[in-house]
Structure formats: C-alpha cells, structure tokens
Amino acid sequence: MDATTRTVRWSVLDRALIRRGQSAAGALRETVEFAAEIERLGYRRFWVAEHHAVPGIAGSAPTVLAAAVAAATSRIRVGTGGVMLPNHRPLVVAEQFGVLEALFPGRIDMGLGRSVGFTGPVRRALGVDKSAADRFDEQLTELMSYFGERPTGGTALTAMPSQGLRVPAHLLAVGSGAEIAAAHGLPVVMALHADTDRTVAALERYRAGFRPSAQQPRPYVLLAVNAAVAATHEAAALLQLPEAWATARSRIDGVFPPLDPPREIAARSMTERERGYVEQSRAGQLYGDGPAMAARLDALIARTGADEVLVTLNTHDPADRVDSYRRLAALAGLPGGAA
C-alpha cells in the first residue's frame, strides 16, 4: 500500500446517535465506552458534537460529554467537533474548556463551529437568531483572548481557570469558517464533499489565505470523512445505510429518527423521494473492503493534502462499528489495528 495513508494522523468524530429501542442515556454511555475502544486502537483524537432538540441524537452538551470521555480514557486527545460558538457566550466557553484542560492537561481540543440552532424554535430557546453566525469572528477573538497570559479586550476579565492555558482551537469550515481559520492561523476541519473538486478548491483558498500564528505556523487540514470498512463491499455499504435513511427521513418529516437496522432498511420499498434523499446522503460516503478503501483513501489524502483524517461512522450495531474502525486502524498502521 502507498505510504500516504500511514503517514497522516487518524481521529474519530462521534455524534452520539441513538439506535432504535435505545435510550438517550444508553447512547451517551455507549459513546464513552466507544471512546475507550478507539483509544485502544491507537487513534489520535476523539471528538463529540453539538446538536439541540434532535430526537435521534443524544449529544447536546459536548463539553460535558467530553469530560466523561476524558475521564474514561488516559491518552487520546478529547475535544469537540464542535461547540457552536454563536449559541454560547465566549466567556462561558472559555471557562468550560479551561476546566477540561485543568482536569485533563495536554489532552483537550477546542473544536468550534459557526452554526446556530437548526430550527426557529431551537434558536429562540437558545436566545440567538440566524445573524448570530455573522459575529463568529468577533466571538472567536474574544474567546481566544481569555486564554492569554493577561486579560485583554474591553472587559479585561480573567477567565478562570483558562488564563494562561493552552487549548488548541480548530475551526469547522462551515460558511466562512475556512476563511476565518486562515485569518486567525488555526487548523481547519473540512468535510469531504461529494464533489471532491469543491473540497480541494476550498482547501486551496484556506492555504492561500493562511496567516501563521503562535498555535499554528502552517496550514493544517483535518479532513472529515464518513467511512466504513468491512470484509466485503456490500457489507461496508450496509453499515452506512441507517444514518443515510435517518437523514432522508429528517428531510421529509423534519425529525431525525433513531437508527434502524440496515438490512431492514434495505428490504423496504422506498418511494422515489425517499430513495433520492438516501442517495444524496450517501454521495459523499466512502465504503468498501480493505484493499479498495486503502486505495481510495490514499488517493483522497494525496489529492487533498490532508494532514489528518477525522472519521465518522454511525450504524445500528455497535460491534459492526468497532469492527470497521479496527479494520481502518489496520490500514492506517495504528498499533491496535488487526491485519
């Protein structure tokens, strides 16, 4: 295999999706257990996400969940992918990550996004509107100031215990997120688009506009990929079907449901509209057996120049998910991967 896959870093994003018949509490406990397994496999980071008022997703408080993950692990870096800064006050975010870093020194990542609540009722409950995303740059500047050696800015507040701590920030490339990451000299998290040319063009703009910072002297790209590896191409394709189906239902019904078993979904007679949405959801997914995925990932990493790959996979059976990550770890040459 080409050395490309074995020279980048590999990390994991978990969204705490709920399986049919499972409680939200069960999904959260499963995320913590999964993180411990991911650490044993040798991945570099384990990040959790922020979703509000989504019936099929339990991960609503990422910094709280990150604390549970960090307490259940000992080596892997733990962070968020990400905290949606427009939904929160920068001081509170700084304090939360300061507490995490104080408790788990040298292991915490501060992944940040500029999205606001997905629906009107959620935005009203959070006390924000769509225009809040336009203040992301200003909020980011304030947030970063709280980690300085001395207070800065108009309020000159000391954020305890954040002041003087080093908590690496990473920005999600949502909207103008990539341009803001470049201007602040921060790593960018770029989701793989179905049109790879579009992803590559966005990364080129990020690199061209990058300004070195104290945290990051050169551009750094985490490529977020929905990927599944199994013994056969067909088995791998089934692993990603539950999330694709739930996404399709959310576009039709406005509600993201818990994950159904993939074979049950495959046996359904879908309407043309349902099938269209499922295919759209699957357009950017990567799946296959080991040799096929090794070739695809090598080519993707070479084309994008990614420094790190942030992998996500949500399926119905936890054992199937762990098996996929174990196979991927073997492809990447991670110490816990089984050949």
Side-chain angles (χ1 to χ4, degrees):
M1 180 174 60
D2 191 298
T4 307
T5 301
R6 292 175 178 259
T7 56
V8 300
R9 292 167 167 170
W10 291 84
S11 298
V12 173
L13 170 67
D14 181 72
R15 296 169 58 210
L17 269 58
I18 302 170
R19 292 179 285 113
R20 192 178 71 190
Q22 183 183 45
S23 66
L28 293 171
R29 287 191 290 268
E30 192 172 282
T31 286
V32 175
E33 295 168 0
F34 178 51
E37 182 63 30
I38 288 300
E39 179 176 69
R40 285 191 286 271
L41 291 175
Y43 288 87
R44 175 173 172 77
R45 310 178 202 269
F46 189 92
W47 284 4
V48 294
E50 175 181 335
H51 297 274
H52 295 287
V54 181
I57 304 179
S60 57
T63 54
V64 178
L65 185 52
V69 168
T73 55
S74 60
R75 174 198 55 77
I76 197 168
R77 296 193 65 87
V78 177
T80 56
V83 165
M84 298 300 137
L85 191 53
N87 293 338
H88 311 281
R89 296 303 305 168
L91 173 63
V92 175
V93 175
E95 290 170 337
Q96 290 173 345
F97 279 98
V99 169
L100 285 170
E101 177 63 20
L103 292 173
F104 308 101
R107 293 180 56 208
I108 301 301
D109 295 324
M110 185 166 58
L112 305 166
R114 64 184 295 275
S115 296
V116 295
F118 186 67
T119 66
V122 170
R123 290 192 293 272
R124 287 192 293 274
L126 291 171
V128 299
D129 53 37
K130 289 184 178 181
S131 66
D134 299 333
R135 300 189 291 275
F136 179 72
D137 197 339
E138 175 186 338
Q139 287 186 300
L140 177 63
T141 298
E142 179 184 346
L143 171 61
M144 300 298 286
S145 75
Y146 291 124
F147 292 94
E149 294 297 333
R150 60 180 62 85
T152 61
T155 57
L157 291 174
T158 299
M160 292 299 295
S162 310
Q163 185 179 349
L165 295 182
R166 183 181 181 276
V167 183
H170 305 70
L171 299 194
L172 277 60
V174 178
S176 59
E179 289 77 8
I180 294 173
H184 286 262
L186 296 175
V188 70
V189 183
M190 180 76 68
L192 176 65
H193 194 271
D195 179 0
T196 309
D197 289 342
R198 181 173 168 183
T199 302
V200 171
L203 291 176
E204 288 175 350
R205 291 193 297 272
Y206 163 72
R207 294 185 177 106
F210 187 85
R211 300 176 185 174
S213 67
Q215 176 183 322
Q216 195 64 43
R218 65 175 185 84
Y220 191 92
V221 172
L222 292 91
L223 186 66
V225 178
N226 193 315
V229 190
T232 66
H233 178 86
E234 292 74 20
L238 276 175
L239 293 181
Q240 294 165 317
L241 188 54
E243 183 181 12
W245 173 255
T247 302
R249 293 311 318 171
S250 72
R251 293 177 178 175
I252 295 170
D253 303 328
V255 175
F256 188 96
L259 302 179
D260 288 339
R263 295 190 181 279
E264 180 179 311
I265 298 169
R268 290 174 181 157
S269 297
M270 296 186 191
T271 66
E272 185 176 343
R273 187 182 182 198
E274 288 172 337
R275 189 168 300 281
Y277 280 132
V278 167
E279 291 174 356
Q280 284 181 25
S281 298
R282 306 212 63 173
Q285 295 179 344
L286 302 181
Y287 55 90
D289 60 17
M293 283 295 284
R296 292 191 70 181
L297 290 168
D298 278 341
L300 180 64
I301 293 165
R303 188 173 180 197
T304 60
D307 301 283
E308 188 167 341
V309 181
L310 184 66
V311 183
T312 186
L313 170 63
N314 300 288
T315 195
H316 184 265
D317 189 333
D320 287 342
R321 179 167 68 158
V322 171
D323 180 69
S324 176
Y325 277 101
R326 185 177 294 113
R327 291 173 184 272
L328 181 58
L331 297 180
L334 302 184

